[in-house]
Amino acid sequence: MERIALVSDIHGNMPALISVLEDIERRGIKRIFCLGDLVGKGPDSFGSIEKIKQTCEHVLKGNWDDFITKDTEFEALKWHQKQLSDEQNLYLESLPFSIDFYMSGKTIRLFHASPFSLYTRIQPWDSIEKRLSMFENTEYTGHSMGNPDVVGYGDVHNAFIQHLNGKTLFNTGSVGNPLDHTSAAYVILEGEYESKDEAPFSIQFVRVPYDIQYAIKLAKDVNMPDLEPYIKELTTGTYRGMKN
């Protein structure tokens, strides 16, 4: 049996990322996949990219990884863009959309947001039709392995698992910007990696505490824009767009 750690939505929060990677190391897990959004929102996009490059076997592209490399009128985004090197921009542009593999006889597909685009957002409370659409093949995912049995994604920063018509949909939650709890989130898959033969398979959700006040201090020290909404999200686990 092999274990794969899935991390997503780092968003420049190095204290959270380091805490999660330390937990993964303590568990003796050697294989780490990242489902995107390395950058933005938090103060250290540069460090997050470098750490993910060093530790992750596969890295997928998130919506922030996509639009941070493009021209913008927003001053806050320009600030985050200035943190990156030309080499890092090229790295983000080169990231793949999705990955498929077998594990314990199941076809697993991972992507950032949905099979339709980096920007199509599917929440756990959306209609059953929308959630089942996550198992479709599209021009972005390809179809070389057929429709997946298990789909994992990031993007919405809400960790969950649902069983739908014999298929399994799960979200890793967010390492650096969780919006369902204040502790960092990641997922462990356990099974026979790259095996088409049926075998035991499990999905484990992990929450890791980290020093939130230190993460806030790092953002303050560099005069990061949109600081107050960021602090609210880190300290309450509540999306900045939610009304009280």
Side-chain angles (χ1 to χ4, degrees), residues 71-106:
D71 292 337
T72 181
E73 299 176 356
F74 298 102
E75 292 303 318
L77 184 56
K78 288 180 181 178
W79 186 93
H80 289 288
Q81 289 175 327
K82 290 177 181 177
Q83 313 309 310
L84 305 184
S85 68
D86 291 342
E87 180 183 356
Q88 289 180 324
N89 280 315
L90 291 173
Y91 172 74
L92 294 178
E93 290 174 348
S94 73
L95 294 177
F97 183 88
S98 62
I99 181 175
D100 288 2
F101 56 92
Y102 291 103
M103 197 167 196
S104 293
K106 300 180 184 299

Side-chain angles (χ1 to χ4, degrees), residues 6-231:
L6 305 180
V7 300
S8 189
D9 297 87
I10 317 305
H11 285 298
N13 186 341
M14 281 297 287
L17 177 58
I18 289 170
S19 293
V20 164
L21 292 176
E22 288 176 346
D23 187 71
I24 291 169
E25 184 177 9
R26 279 193 295 269
R27 295 170 188 264
I29 299 172
K30 305 299 183 184
R31 182 162 271 142
I32 308 172
F33 297 172
C34 178
L35 277 59
D37 272 9
L38 287 62
V39 301
K41 300 193 84 169
D44 197 356
S45 294
F46 183 98
S48 295
I49 292 174
E50 294 308 301
K51 181 61 72 173
I52 290 295
K53 286 170 66 176
Q54 292 168 10
T55 56
C56 294
E57 181 175 336
H58 293 286
V59 183
L60 305 179
K61 183 184 289 188
N63 54 304
W64 270 85
D65 307 320
D66 184 54
F67 64 66
I68 202 170
T69 65
K70 296 174 168 50
D71 292 337
T72 181
E73 299 176 356
F74 298 102
E75 292 303 318
L77 184 56
K78 288 180 181 178
W79 186 93
H80 289 288
Q81 289 175 327
K82 290 177 181 177
Q83 313 309 310
L84 305 184
S85 68
D86 291 342
E87 180 183 356
Q88 289 180 324
N89 280 315
L90 291 173
Y91 172 74
L92 294 178
E93 290 174 348
S94 73
L95 294 177
F97 183 88
S98 62
I99 181 175
D100 288 2
F101 56 92
Y102 291 103
M103 197 167 196
S104 293
K106 300 180 184 299
T107 306
I108 316 295
R109 175 172 291 160
L110 306 174
F111 44 66
H112 181 69
S114 80
F116 308 106
S117 81
L118 297 172
Y119 300 93
T120 301
R121 183 155 291 163
I122 306 292
Q123 294 283 5
W125 51 80
D126 280 340
S127 69
I128 184 70
E129 290 78 16
K130 276 191 175 182
R131 285 174 284 146
L132 284 173
S133 75
M134 296 289 269
F135 299 91
E136 294 181 13
N137 293 320
T138 69
E139 61 179 312
Y140 299 106
T141 65
H143 50 79
S144 60
M145 295 176 69
N147 293 96
D149 303 304
V150 179
V151 164
Y153 72 115
D155 186 53
V156 297
H157 301 203
N158 286 281
F160 73 88
I161 186 168
Q162 296 177 354
H163 301 289
L164 308 167
N165 292 4
K167 296 180 179 290
T168 300
L169 177 67
F170 73 90
N171 190 284
T172 61
S174 171
V175 169
N177 188 230
L179 297 177
D180 54 357
H181 195 280
T182 55
S183 55
Y186 77 99
V187 159
I188 299 170
L189 303 182
E190 185 171 23
E192 299 293 343
Y193 182 54
E194 295 187 330
S195 174
K196 297 181 182 180
D197 298 328
E198 289 189 3
F201 172 75
S202 66
I203 301 172
Q204 179 182 357
F205 290 80
V206 185
R207 306 303 298 225
V208 181
Y210 72 97
D211 192 338
I212 293 174
Q213 292 306 314
Y214 180 56
I216 292 171
K217 179 181 183 301
L218 292 177
K220 288 181 176 178
D221 287 348
V222 293
N223 295 315
M224 190 185 79
D226 291 341
L227 183 60
E228 290 307 314
Y230 184 66
I231 292 172

